[in-house]
Amino acid sequence: MKNNVVIILWIFSQLVSAQQLAQNYLSNLPKFPDNGCAVTETNKNTFYQQIDRVIEAIELDIERIHKQQPPADQNQLLSTVSGGEAADEQLAQQKLMKDHGISSMDLKKIENMSEEELQEWGEKYVASNRGKHSQSSARNQYNINTELQDLQNRLSTYKEGWMKMQAEYEKKEKQAKTDLDLCLEIVLKNSPEPQYRGEACINQKVIDEYITKNEQRCNDNYCQAIAPLKKQMINKKWGELPQVLRLLSQIQTAQNNQVKEQTGLNLNASQSNELAALDLVKEFAGEMRNML
């Protein structure tokens, strides 16, 4: 179980998300076109290239962070399971005695208890003064948990808003696609009848011009219906991302404080990385690319 706790603590340390680097990449993304229906192939390719450069740079930074992530940070935690076993055990015992009044002798007794004996001991433990957390520790835990819950609720509000916005877009896009298919079907149905001289169609050029002209009208109507929705969705998420990046950092700090209060390990002092924020900006850049 101790191994699991240490691994969890290390995972927490990996999620630390200072938002500065990610914010810089967010600022380097190209502006989404005001009218996606009027974008030329040249401008579209330029837009794609700018997006791709940002994504490539993010991927390089993610790779760099993975490589530069000091093994000492992980090993410092894992050493409490191997070479640092004695120090870790002493720290855990001090924490248990301070916050719970449980000594190493108590723990050894607990390990050898039957289920009935453990239940009886637990009832006595809760009823005793030793079973009560110190008032200060309990208050700190409550404040940290309250802050963390508030931050997570605020983050959930953003994510739920994005999911709702995406669902609404997909619903309208599906209807627009249905209208497009119907329009194209009508174009083919109303196209001029072929006229033949022998086996040759003598009015094929007229038919092709009619279909090309009217299919373009269908596609234009589809684009005009969808393009504003795309821009609205991109701009809303883009405007909210800085707050989300900041929330991620605040949540990690609160989680670190929670771990420190529970175990005495100060993860705020460990090297923080930006992987979570970089992944989020990279995902958003990909969404921008797919939307145009």
Side-chain angles (χ1 to χ4, degrees):
M1 184 173 69
K2 188 180 296 183
N3 287 351
N4 292 339
V5 171
V6 171
I7 291 172
I8 290 171
L9 296 183
W10 179 75
I11 290 173
F12 279 164
S13 72
Q14 298 303 292
L15 292 176
V16 176
S17 179
Q19 71 262 23
Q20 187 57 48
L21 183 59
Q23 179 62 55
N24 289 340
Y25 282 124
L26 190 63
S27 301
N28 286 332
L29 289 172
K31 178 184 176 183
F32 197 79
D34 290 327
N35 183 3
C37 302
V39 177
T40 64
E41 279 301 313
T42 299
N43 290 339
K44 184 180 292 189
N45 289 333
T46 300
F47 179 82
Y48 289 157
Q49 291 170 5
Q50 291 174 310
I51 292 282
D52 291 343
R53 281 197 294 268
V54 172
I55 291 177
E56 182 180 358
I58 291 175
E59 289 175 343
L60 289 174
D61 255 325
I62 290 175
E63 182 180 359
R64 172 186 61 79
I65 291 171
H66 276 303
K67 289 181 178 179
Q68 293 182 351
Q69 191 72 31
D73 284 352
Q74 180 180 1
N75 292 338
Q76 183 178 2
L77 289 173
L78 296 179
S79 67
T80 63
V81 180
S82 53
E85 189 71 36
D88 179 64
E89 185 174 351
Q90 183 179 5
L91 176 63
Q93 291 177 8
Q94 291 173 353
K95 190 71 178 174
L96 287 170
M97 178 61 74
K98 176 184 175 183
D99 294 345
H100 305 279
I102 302 177
S103 67
S104 58
M105 294 294 293
D106 290 327
L107 287 176
K108 290 179 181 179
K109 292 178 181 178
I110 292 172
E111 290 176 357
N112 297 319
M113 286 182 183
S114 65
E115 185 175 346
E116 293 78 10
E117 290 172 333
L118 185 59
Q119 182 175 355
E120 181 181 355
W121 177 88
E123 292 173 353
K124 292 180 179 179
Y125 169 77
V126 172
S128 69
N129 289 330
R130 291 193 309 157
K132 299 177 182 177
H133 289 189
S134 68
Q135 183 176 0
S136 175
S137 176
R139 183 168 58 251
N140 289 341
Q141 283 281 12
Y142 175 80
N143 290 339
I144 292 172
N145 292 341
T146 300
E147 177 192 12
L148 185 57
Q149 187 62 54
D150 176 65
L151 292 170
Q152 289 173 335
N153 287 343
R154 288 160 58 189
L155 180 62
S156 295
T157 298
Y158 282 112
K159 290 184 175 181
E160 289 170 3
W162 293 347
M163 291 175 62
K164 182 178 179 180
M165 184 171 58
Q166 179 68 29
E168 186 65 23
Y169 166 79
E170 290 175 357
K171 177 181 177 181
K172 292 181 178 180
E173 197 275 340
K174 182 178 180 181
Q175 181 59 52
K177 184 64 168 60
T178 300
D179 294 342
L180 171 62
D181 291 341
L182 179 60
C183 182
L184 294 174
E185 182 180 335
I186 292 174
V187 168
L188 292 177
K189 182 179 180 180
N190 293 338
S191 62
E193 290 288 338
Q195 299 175 7
Y196 292 96
R197 182 175 297 166
E199 295 183 357
C201 180
I202 61 176
N203 67 334
Q204 187 62 53
K205 183 178 179 181
V206 174
I207 295 173
D208 291 343
E209 289 177 348
Y210 175 88
I211 291 177
T212 299
K213 176 182 178 181
N214 287 278
E215 281 186 344
Q216 185 60 49
R217 174 178 54 81
C218 294
N219 289 319
D220 287 344
N221 290 340
Y222 170 80
C223 188
Q224 293 296 336
I226 293 302
L229 300 177
K230 292 181 177 181
K231 181 174 178 58
Q232 180 184 13
M233 186 161 58
I234 289 294
N235 285 349
K236 179 174 174 57
K237 192 169 184 178
W238 201 342
E240 293 176 346
L241 270 171
Q243 293 93 319
V244 171
L245 296 178
R246 189 157 46 247
L247 276 174
L248 288 173
S249 179
Q250 292 171 336
I251 286 173
Q252 185 57 51
T253 298
Q255 288 175 331
N256 288 350
N257 291 337
Q258 188 180 58
V259 170
K260 181 180 179 181
E261 186 64 30
Q262 293 172 348
T263 68
L265 290 175
N266 184 8
L267 296 184
N268 284 321
S270 64
Q271 179 181 355
S272 62
N273 63 61
E274 298 175 296
L275 295 177
L278 288 173
D279 280 333
L280 186 59
V281 176
K282 176 186 172 183
E283 178 184 325
F284 175 68
E287 290 174 5
M288 287 183 65
R289 196 185 197 288
N290 293 334
M291 280 291 180
L292 186 61

